[in-house]
Amino acid sequence: MAKQEYFKTALSNFTYEAASGGAIRHLADLGYTVKQIAAQISFPTPYERIQKTVWEHFLDTHVILEEEPGSGKQRETAAYVRDYDAYGRASFRRVSDREMQKTEIAWKEKCFNPDKDGKLAVYLKRLCEKNGGGMSYVSCDFGLDLCKDIEGFYKKIEALDDGQRDYILGLPWEEKRVYHRLDVRMRTIVEALYENQAYHGICYFIETEEKRIIE
């Protein structure tokens, strides 16, 4: 019975990967929200499974970190490759890339001061351009906020436009602080929240080893 369940699960995973998994990750890389991905894929896939696939993909590709940037504990980068056996049957295999930040960073800390540093939007853009999009992160407490105060969480994200709100609501945030790559979309989200007194957190710029506290 256990063997039968194993093969049933393996077949289900293979079918899902062949029909939806790759497409979901590709659309996520193109910037689609989970809501948009659900509307695009043709293979019937539960919304929660799309969320999980996108979240795992973001962890694998370091769009989202579970550990503080520069702590030396980042998850390995992973990808999926298709293999064929001697009979031409395809299977998917998850492979890891161990080239990653291993050394802890001695951060140069500073609090963002709008009186001295100007507008947050310009300030973050300048630091991101200096460090590169893949080397800039921002702390996110959306999962903590959602669990602590649902009404307060939804009131907070009223500051966002529809696309930004869909992006935040589409991800299955865990009940802990995580760190999202400070790409253009996340930068505009942070800026919008900050302008409405709805964001407090930390930005990390790995190349220049700078940590900026936003209060």
Side-chain angles (χ1 to χ4, degrees), residues 120-128 182 187 190-191 203 205:
L120 181 63
V122 178
Y123 184 75
L124 292 182
K125 181 180 179 182
R126 184 169 64 248
L127 284 167
C128 286
L182 199 55
R187 199 166 70 226
V190 170
E191 291 159 3
C203 294
F205 303 97

Side-chain angles (χ1 to χ4, degrees), residues 139-154:
S139 65
C140 296
D141 294 337
F142 297 117
L144 290 169
D145 293 342
L146 188 56
C147 292
K148 182 172 63 177
D149 180 6
I150 294 178
E151 288 187 14
F153 170 77
Y154 279 95

Side-chain angles (χ1 to χ4, degrees), residues 8-122:
K8 185 177 179 180
T9 301
L11 179 60
S12 174
N13 290 340
F14 173 78
T15 302
Y16 169 74
E17 185 60 41
S20 299
I24 290 170
R25 289 189 291 273
H26 176 65
L27 291 173
D29 286 340
L30 292 178
Y32 283 62
T33 65
V34 169
K35 183 178 179 180
Q36 290 171 324
I37 293 171
Q40 284 287 324
I41 58 175
S42 56
F43 187 80
T45 307
Y47 189 81
E48 292 76 13
R49 190 157 194 183
I50 298 173
Q51 288 182 298
K52 181 179 179 182
T53 300
V54 172
W55 184 264
E56 286 294 321
H57 180 57
F58 282 175
L59 290 175
D60 286 339
T61 55
H62 299 170
V63 171
I64 291 175
L65 304 179
E66 294 182 299
E67 303 289 344
E68 185 179 46
S71 66
K73 300 176 183 178
Q74 281 82 353
R75 176 167 165 156
E76 296 173 353
T77 300
Y80 289 84
V81 297
R82 190 194 299 259
D83 290 331
Y84 294 91
D85 63 16
Y87 300 99
R89 292 174 298 201
S91 63
F92 288 90
R93 178 167 51 89
R94 185 176 181 277
V95 295
S96 296
D97 179 359
R98 295 181 180 274
E99 292 184 11
M100 52 192 293
Q101 176 72 39
K102 295 283 188 183
T103 307
E104 287 191 47
I105 294 175
W107 296 104
K108 300 185 284 287
E109 292 189 16
K110 177 183 173 183
C111 289
F112 170 72
N113 184 338
D115 293 332
K116 294 181 179 179
D117 300 319
K119 287 186 65 66
L120 181 63
V122 178

